[in-house]
Amino acid sequence: MERLKLVLQYFQSNSESISNGICIILALVSVKLYTSFDFNCPCLPQYNKLYSLGVMIVPPIILFFLGVLVNRHTGVMMDEWMRPTGNRSKNPAVVKYLFSAMLQRALLAPMVWILVTLLDGKIFICAFSGSVDPALFSGLPNSTGLEVIKIMAKVPCKEDVIFRNSSFRKAVSRYIRCYSQAVGWSILLLLIVLGAMGRLIKPYFDDHATGLQTRYWSNYLDVEQKLFDETCVLHARDFARKCVVQFFEDMREDSILRLPHPPFISNFQDEWEDEEEERLHGVTKQEQVDQLLNKWYYSKPELDVTRIAHRPRTCVTWKDRDGRTLYSDV
């Protein structure tokens, strides 16, 4: 249970972890889809290869675009690429980094599908059974009067009557499956070697400090957009509540009720209203909201928080009657 909590905390820690989790789930879904998919080869010379290539290519394309769609880096990358320059210059290295991260995650599920199909071999048998030389094997059924190419196209269909009590189909299937698995393992080995070589060689060609800066600012863009969205949600909630309360206040009939007004209620109400005004940030009209959102898109603030970081604060110091300091938060 503790390990499960740790895994969930990891995937909830940041958007990159969430994207990794979603891509892993897509890869597992692709395996489940393939195992539950009922593959039926047409067993016709003119359709076998077309159908097989369609099954091997179309689902990976769908999975790739699903990976692009659910990837958080996609939205951040497009926002950074398409936004006007404004007060903040664009960093092409950050856009390249986000594109690379998005592409790597989106390609995981399609590659898993292709590797699973190759290691299984059924699609490869359907596609290339007609390309095998039947002279390499004994026991070719030739009593049916069918052409050799049509007989070879029926190899994936083990229930066909022409292969009853014949070892020819099994031999051809085993031969093609060996090639299919060899291609699958070769692709997997190539990917692992390329990944390992990339990790080993990258430090010799890339500046580590530049890489850290690129990663920092790519994470910053993601966090900034999240915080802006959260602040907008809080502002919209307070703005909507203010509008509703104001509507009901306007509809209420005026009435005079003379009661003593305790001072602590007045103070509490003033503090509550001050807190609401702080959450609204002085933006209290639709025109102001539209202007704010328009300015955020067309003129992002420059990356300089010196003014707010060094904002003066009130310090309290308690002293006794003799002038000795009892407490100070200076």
Side-chain angles (χ1 to χ4, degrees):
M1 192 65 181
E2 293 296 328
R3 291 182 178 179
L4 181 60
K5 288 182 179 179
L6 290 174
V7 172
L8 291 176
Q9 288 176 359
Y10 168 75
F11 284 119
Q12 292 174 356
S13 60
N14 53 50
S15 296
E16 188 172 353
S17 302
I18 294 174
S19 298
N20 291 337
I22 292 174
C23 291
I24 291 172
I25 291 173
L26 275 178
L28 296 176
V29 167
S30 67
V31 175
K32 182 63 178 178
L33 282 175
Y34 181 79
T35 54
S36 60
F37 175 65
D38 188 15
F39 179 77
N40 293 312
C41 186
C43 297
L44 296 172
Q46 61 270 32
Y47 295 115
N48 278 13
K49 190 170 293 186
L50 182 64
Y51 178 73
S52 302
L53 292 178
V55 172
M56 186 174 284
I57 294 174
V58 174
I61 294 175
I62 296 174
L63 290 170
F64 172 76
F65 283 108
L66 275 177
V68 172
L69 186 64
V70 302
N71 200 320
R72 172 78 180 176
H73 290 92
T74 305
V76 178
M77 179 194 69
M78 293 304 298
D79 289 343
E80 179 65 14
W81 184 29
M82 298 298 295
R83 71 170 177 84
T85 303
N87 295 328
R88 184 189 302 177
S89 60
K90 296 183 181 181
N91 189 347
V94 173
V95 178
K96 291 179 182 178
Y97 175 83
L98 292 171
F99 177 76
S100 175
M102 179 270 295
L103 193 63
Q104 291 174 17
R105 289 167 175 79
L107 284 174
L108 177 61
M111 290 306 303
V112 169
W113 176 276
I114 293 174
L115 288 173
V116 170
T117 57
L118 289 174
L119 294 177
D120 183 58
K122 288 189 296 187
I123 294 178
F124 218 71
I125 293 172
C126 180
F128 298 103
S129 60
S131 304
V132 177
D133 185 7
L136 298 173
F137 310 94
S138 60
L140 175 66
N142 54 5
S143 58
T144 57
L146 292 174
E147 298 179 7
V148 174
I149 189 171
K150 291 184 178 180
I151 295 175
M152 297 303 294
K154 291 181 179 294
V155 166
C157 303
K158 58 182 179 180
E159 68 279 359
D160 200 288
V161 293
I162 65 172
F163 294 116
R164 188 173 298 171
N165 301 324
S166 174
S167 60
F168 177 80
R169 190 198 67 82
K170 292 182 179 179
V172 175
S173 299
R174 189 163 51 245
Y175 176 78
I176 301 176
R177 183 174 282 110
C178 288
Y179 273 98
S180 178
Q181 292 177 348
V183 173
W185 286 115
S186 299
I187 292 176
L188 182 59
L189 177 62
L190 178 64
L191 292 175
I192 294 174
V193 170
L194 288 177
M197 293 297 292
R199 281 293 184 94
L200 294 173
I201 296 175
K202 186 177 180 181
Y204 292 98
F205 294 95
D206 287 349
D207 184 9
H208 187 63
T210 304
L212 287 176
Q213 293 171 6
T214 302
R215 180 160 186 160
Y216 175 89
W217 290 115
S218 64
N219 290 331
Y220 169 83
L221 292 174
D222 185 24
V223 174
E224 181 190 56
Q225 189 60 43
K226 275 185 176 179
L227 290 176
F228 181 77
D229 293 340
E230 291 171 3
T231 306
C232 286
V233 169
L234 293 175
H235 184 277
R237 185 182 291 114
D238 293 332
F239 192 87
R241 195 174 60 78
K242 279 278 190 182
C243 286
V244 173
V245 171
Q246 184 173 280
F247 172 77
F248 279 95
E249 290 289 337
D250 292 341
M251 295 298 294
R252 187 177 61 180
E253 295 181 358
D254 294 336
S255 60
I256 300 175
L257 183 62
R258 300 184 181 277
L259 291 174
H261 200 310
F264 70 89
I265 295 180
S266 177
N267 295 335
F268 175 76
Q269 185 176 2
D270 292 341
E271 292 177 1
W272 182 58
E273 290 179 353
D274 290 342
E275 184 179 353
E276 281 193 336
E277 290 297 331
E278 184 178 351
R279 283 197 298 247
L280 289 174
H281 302 284
V283 182
T284 56
K285 293 183 179 180
Q286 181 181 0
E287 294 78 9
Q288 290 178 312
V289 174
D290 293 339
Q291 183 180 2
L292 181 143
L293 297 175
N294 189 69
K295 185 177 180 180
W296 176 261
Y297 177 74
Y298 286 102
S299 183
K300 286 281 184 73
E302 58 181 337
L303 300 174
D304 184 1
V305 293
T306 307
R307 177 172 52 85
I308 195 170
H310 295 285
R311 187 167 53 187
R313 65 187 182 93
T314 303
C315 299
V316 178
T317 301
W318 294 87
K319 294 183 178 180
D320 60 8
R321 293 180 178 180
D322 298 330
R324 289 176 297 184
T325 302
L326 300 176
Y327 169 79
S328 176
D329 61 354
V330 178

